[in-house]
Amino acid sequence: LNEATQIRQCLDHLLAARPAFHEVIVIDGGSSDDTVGIAAGYTKRTGMVRVHVSATRGRAAQLNAGLSEVTGDAVVFVHADSRPPRACVQEVCTALFNGDDRDEPTVIGLLGFPTRIAMFDEDGSYSPASETRILWITTMHEYIAYFFYPLLFQPISFLRGLRCLFGDQNLSLRTVDGIKLGGFDDTLRIMEDLDLCLRVVEKLGKRVVRSGRWGASSGRR
């Protein structure tokens, strides 16, 4: 929503991923700035970016709108101010599928990426060098919360594979699993990401894990 200052850099970063994404879907919540216009320009230039305006504004609702548009085997949810690692696609395929067999999933139901919370230089393309300041306390909180929160509040589920992943850690799962779970709970204003982690373990019987590759997310808020 109103991410004209972030969406161009985000799309440039996603389109530079290697191996490449199958598609990039931008879900807008009814922006009053030029977010949609900027994203639509990528549709004309690349042919692989699709723009959809969600009927309902809100993080969970917009994430679900994106899930309903996906045509690939897996989906990576990326906030406009987050930057997954360049090797994101390879990491997701390796974690969620056994080799090239898309019909044989692994025991991993949800994958995320450790994330540096940093201030970005928005004038150029994103790279770790464009991070003008890393917010170390927030970064370490996310890193430690991965184990600490589920161990403290859901110890039984922790033993079954529950871990804590936040939305800016680029949550990734098989498309069929996302549909089976009904996507994110759009009645929740916050913590829809942690709710999804819990349901992956309790309803799918799968594990939540974190990749060894780091991404980044803006600490502007």
Side-chain angles (χ1 to χ4, degrees), residues 14-29:
L14 295 177
L15 292 172
R18 293 294 181 270
F21 285 95
H22 169 66
E23 60 189 348
V24 177
I25 305 169
V26 178
I27 305 296
D28 186 79

Side-chain angles (χ1 to χ4, degrees), residues 2-5 7-8 28 31-40:
N2 295 328
E3 289 288 9
T5 60
I7 194 65
R8 181 178 286 106
D28 186 79
S31 294
S32 57
D33 65 5
D34 197 30
T35 300
V36 172
I38 293 171

